[in-house]
Amino acid sequence: MAAALAATVGLTLAACGSDDSDGGSDDGGDTITLGIIPSWTDGLSMAYLWKNVLEDEGYTVEIEEVTEAAPLYTGVAQGDVDVYPSAWPEVTHASYMEKYGDDLEVLGTYYDDAKLTFAVPEYTDIDSIEDLTGEADRFDGRIVGIEPGAGLTEVTTNSVMPEYGLDGDYELVTSSTTAMLAELETAVNNEEDIVVTLWRPFWANSAYPVKDLEDPKGALGEPEGLAAVATDGFSDEFPDVAEMMANATLDDDQYGSLEDLVVNEFGEGKEEEAVAQWLEDNPDWVESLSS
């Protein structure tokens, strides 16, 4: 399968106009660094997907793991990281784009309906963020969040909590995505009430019996696109790769199956095997990169 995929990718790049002068692998030893926050599984999944595709073409691909969004954007802006393959540049990470935008380039949007959410278990009898008002005791006065530097954390702190008057009665507890999911799992197993910050697309929405709370004031922001964001000048150095990333798209079924394979069916340490399975199941995706 690897040989067949390599041949397919080779044809893809040929169709994009690849030659030795364009920064392709025939120049020998071209290395592309992809930056991710491992607990944010959209970036994890996309990084290993691109690693498979680009390595079959002959590039050397390194995956750089960081723990927060701020150092990741700093790394891309400074050129220490070439591409953040699943950025949220329009809303969630807008402040980072404003800060570093002159040193970044958006290569393309691969998914166009991402959104931030507040969620509770399905058995919790509230349906809107407005319903959290006056209910702090049942949630122990806690909204369980993710990393302190996440865009979702910023939006929750600066928009959602003040807009709905929650900042007096609730504390936003930040730590990590992993810790948030552990609390969510414990609460669900014990049929306890909990409110967490989540987002879509994200595998946890299917893995746990949760429901999104309505956001009638729009404090979480509009749906946005997930994009590959690169250091400025990347498309000049790697025009073929930039064109492929510009052409890449995933619909809900494709994205859901990719993340489910990477996170759940194969799991940590087997990301490359998961991606290989996904590409075998979706053979037309590589061909779409040349369209």
Side-chain angles (χ1 to χ4, degrees):
M1 193 274 288
L5 181 58
T8 303
V9 176
L11 289 172
T12 297
L13 291 180
C16 291
S18 175
D19 59 43
D20 291 352
S21 64
D22 282 343
S25 60
D26 289 341
D27 288 345
D30 285 319
T31 299
I32 295 174
T33 302
L34 306 177
I36 64 168
I37 299 169
S39 59
W40 297 2
T41 49
D42 56 306
L44 175 75
S45 301
M46 291 305 295
Y48 278 95
L49 177 58
W50 282 116
K51 185 175 189 291
N52 182 301
V53 170
L54 297 179
E55 285 188 341
D56 274 345
E57 177 56 22
Y59 290 93
T60 298
V61 178
E62 298 177 352
I63 295 180
E64 181 75 20
E65 297 185 356
V66 298
T67 59
E68 293 276 1
L72 177 50
Y73 274 90
T74 300
V76 178
Q78 293 178 346
D80 298 322
V81 174
D82 292 309
V83 182
Y84 178 12
S86 189
W88 297 57
E90 298 169 5
V91 179
T92 308
H93 295 160
S95 62
Y96 295 117
M97 296 300 295
E98 181 178 355
K99 182 175 182 179
Y100 297 114
D102 290 343
D103 298 311
L104 303 172
E105 56 177 304
V106 179
L107 301 179
T109 299
Y110 76 88
Y111 182 86
D112 61 6
D113 194 29
K115 61 182 179 178
L116 305 179
T117 67
F118 271 29
V120 297
E122 291 177 347
Y123 52 74
T124 298
D125 59 347
I126 66 170
D127 298 303
S128 171
I129 298 175
E130 285 185 318
D131 298 335
L132 293 173
T133 304
E135 297 289 338
D137 287 347
R138 72 188 291 188
F139 297 102
D140 295 325
R142 302 167 76 247
I143 297 170
V144 184
I146 56 173
E147 289 77 7
L152 175 53
T153 300
E154 180 183 6
V155 170
T156 298
T157 301
N158 297 331
S159 178
V160 181
M161 294 182 72
E163 186 70 24
Y164 287 97
L166 304 177
D167 39 2
D169 297 325
Y170 288 86
E171 173 192 7
L172 176 62
V173 180
T174 60
S175 178
S176 68
T177 301
T178 302
M180 178 273 291
L181 291 175
E183 287 209 42
L184 175 60
E185 182 169 358
T186 297
V188 167
N189 288 341
N190 294 326
E191 294 192 9
E192 297 171 346
D193 291 321
I194 188 173
V195 56
V196 298
T197 62
L198 281 176
W199 60 93
R200 292 182 181 273
F202 186 38
W203 63 268
N205 293 289
S206 300
Y208 299 103
V210 296
K211 60 182 178 181
D212 296 345
L213 293 180
E214 296 174 5
D215 177 21
K217 298 184 178 183
L220 284 164
E222 296 296 321
E224 62 183 304
L226 302 184
V229 172
T231 188
D232 187 42
F234 179 85
S235 58
D236 293 328
E237 185 175 1
F238 299 102
D240 297 330
V241 177
E243 186 168 355
M244 293 171 74
M245 290 185 171
N247 289 334
T249 61
L250 292 173
D251 61 27
D252 285 328
D253 289 340
Q254 289 172 318
Y255 179 87
S257 63
L258 172 64
E259 196 173 55
D260 184 56
L261 283 167
V262 170
V263 177
N264 298 318
E265 292 196 31
F266 284 80
E268 185 176 358
K270 296 183 178 180
E271 293 86 358
E272 294 188 29
E273 292 94 325
V275 165
Q277 179 64 57
W278 188 85
L279 286 168
E280 186 173 332
D281 296 340
N282 296 269
D284 295 338
W285 188 79
V286 171
E287 295 179 8
S288 73
L289 301 179
S290 64
S291 60

